[in-house]
């Protein structure tokens, strides 16, 4: 089970134990999560297809939305199939290197999602506060640069997680009470000091989520200041309506994320461990499942594009 490298014990594999104390409900949980996964993949891939093929959607707002859909689709695809193998086929073993790869991509994609939501908030700010300069500020080159910068930040701040894990001595077994490899879940199996891991985890959260939330809050503060100064009530409603899908995405993403983070780091024994794991799994699936639905319901152009995909123009006219 263990391979020895100098004075450090490194397990050859880990065992992902799923959700302890909910073994009897694993079948129902896997069925529910499988349905959510199918909806998430179809919804996000459909949204990417729609935005890439409809010229009317070739605008910065929709480019950012397609980037969010790509991130969501990859995040749930990385997580759900492995979880279903644990619940349905009892395939719980995962190689040490594969576990490190899991840690890297899980943290990278979740931080990427935060970054894209921040970019969408800045897009709303420019669209409402500088409508005449919108197309000159958010050019394709600018969108590519900020997208690359967001991805690079996620990669660079996630790499230390895997580096820290490889330098820990593991002597508390190889059983992980989770459905995927998480940085702190792995660190807690170590018999060495994990103070640096815990500190870096908090630093990374501040640098990623803290910075993104600050920028998002500042954007919406400036948006509200600009909108309340408008003389027309219709103009106020129109400007706010352009942000509703983004606000929905923020709520869907950050509420389970904050609950998962604070219960994991500060909940202690007040919240059962299996509840923490269930919420963590919900956090990985809820945003990818609901974001395409919210975008379709709240964005007229996407809603019309979806209708045209399934119905001909003659059918649309007959329905109206």
């Amino acid at each position: 089970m263990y391979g020895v490298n100098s004075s450090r014990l490194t397990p050859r594999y880990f065992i992902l134990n799923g959700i302890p104390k909910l073994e009897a409900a694993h079948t129902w949980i896997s069925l529910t999560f499988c349905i959510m996964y199918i909806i998430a993949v179809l919804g996000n891939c459909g949204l990417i297809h729609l935005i890439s093929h409809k010229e009317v959607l070739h605008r910065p707002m929709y480019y950012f939305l397609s980037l969010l859909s790509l991130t969501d689709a990859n995040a749930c695809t990385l997580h759900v199939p492995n979880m279903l193998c644990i619940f349905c086929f009892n395939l719980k073993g995962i190689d040490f290197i594969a576990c490190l790869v899991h840690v890297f991509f899980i943290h990278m994609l979740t931080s990427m999602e935060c970054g894209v939501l921040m970019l969408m908030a800045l897009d709303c700010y420019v669209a409402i506060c500088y409508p005449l300069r919108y197309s000159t500020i958010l050019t394709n080159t600018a969108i590519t640069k900020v997208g690359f910068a967001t991805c690079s930040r996620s990669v660079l701040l996630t790499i230390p997680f895997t580096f820290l894990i490889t330098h820990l001595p593991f002597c508390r077994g190889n059983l992980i009470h989770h459905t995927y490899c998480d940085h702190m879940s792995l660190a807690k199996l170590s018999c060495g000091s994990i103070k640096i891991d815990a500190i870096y985890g908090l630093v990374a959260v501040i640098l990623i989520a803290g910075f993104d939330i600050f920028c998002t809050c500042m954007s919406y503060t400036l948006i509200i200041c600009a909108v309340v100064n408008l003389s027309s009530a219709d103009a106020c409603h129109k400007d706010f309506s352009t942000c509703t899908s983004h606000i929905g995405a923020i709520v869907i993403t950050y509420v389970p994320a904050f609950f998962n983070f604070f219960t994991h780091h500060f909940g202690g024994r007040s919240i059962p461990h299996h509840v923490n794991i269930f919420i963590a799994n919900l956090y990985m699936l809820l945003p990818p499942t609901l974001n395409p639905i919210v975008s379709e319901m709240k964005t007229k152009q996407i809603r019309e594009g979806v209708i045209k995909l399934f119905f001909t123009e003659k059918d649309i006219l007959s329905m109206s």
Side-chain angles (χ1 to χ4, degrees), residues 9 27 54 75 81 95 98 107 125 163-164 170 175 202 230 315:
L9 288 172
T27 302
K54 296 292 181 181
D95 182 74
H107 288 284
Y125 163 70
F163 179 78
L164 289 169
F170 293 93
L175 183 64
L202 289 173
L230 295 174
D315 293 330

Side-chain angles (χ1 to χ4, degrees), residues 31-207:
L31 180 62
T32 303
F33 283 177
C34 183
I35 293 171
M36 292 175 68
Y37 173 64
I38 293 170
I39 295 171
V41 170
L42 291 178
N44 285 291
C45 291
L47 203 56
I48 294 169
H49 173 80
L50 186 67
I51 292 169
S52 62
H53 285 78
K54 296 292 181 181
E55 193 171 345
V56 70
L57 299 179
H58 290 178
R59 295 176 55 198
M61 171 186 175
Y62 302 110
Y63 291 149
F64 290 135
L65 186 58
S66 64
L67 184 58
L68 180 65
S69 293
L70 181 64
T71 304
D72 283 343
N74 281 312
C76 62
T77 299
L78 177 71
H79 165 57
V80 177
N82 188 67
M83 181 193 67
L84 294 178
C85 287
I86 295 170
F87 287 170
C88 300
F89 306 108
N90 205 34
L91 299 175
K92 300 181 177 183
I94 182 169
D95 182 74
F96 179 74
I97 300 300
C99 198
L100 290 181
V101 172
H102 220 188
V103 169
F104 173 79
F105 281 105
I106 287 286
H107 288 284
M108 190 272 284
L109 290 170
T110 51
S111 63
M112 184 74 183
E113 185 173 39
C114 293
V116 176
L117 288 173
M118 182 263 293
L119 294 179
M120 293 173 72
L122 296 177
D123 171 73
C124 290
Y125 163 70
V126 175
I128 292 173
C129 297
Y130 302 98
L132 299 179
R133 296 173 56 195
Y134 181 76
S135 58
T136 57
I137 295 174
L138 290 176
T139 61
N140 288 340
T141 303
I143 293 168
T144 302
K145 286 181 178 178
V146 295
F148 179 76
T150 303
C151 183
S152 300
R153 181 195 67 166
S154 300
V155 171
L156 291 174
L157 289 175
T158 303
I159 288 174
F161 284 123
T162 54
F163 179 78
L164 289 169
I165 289 296
T166 57
H167 285 74
L168 288 176
F170 293 93
C171 51
R172 293 179 179 171
N174 64 342
L175 183 64
I176 302 174
H177 295 292
H178 216 308
T179 58
Y180 60 86
C181 291
D182 173 74
H183 171 236
M184 288 308 296
S185 297
L186 280 173
K188 287 176 181 178
L189 293 179
S190 172
C191 53
S193 174
I194 60 170
K195 185 179 292 186
I196 296 176
D197 296 75
I199 291 172
Y200 183 75
L202 289 173
V203 170
V205 168
I206 293 169
L207 290 176

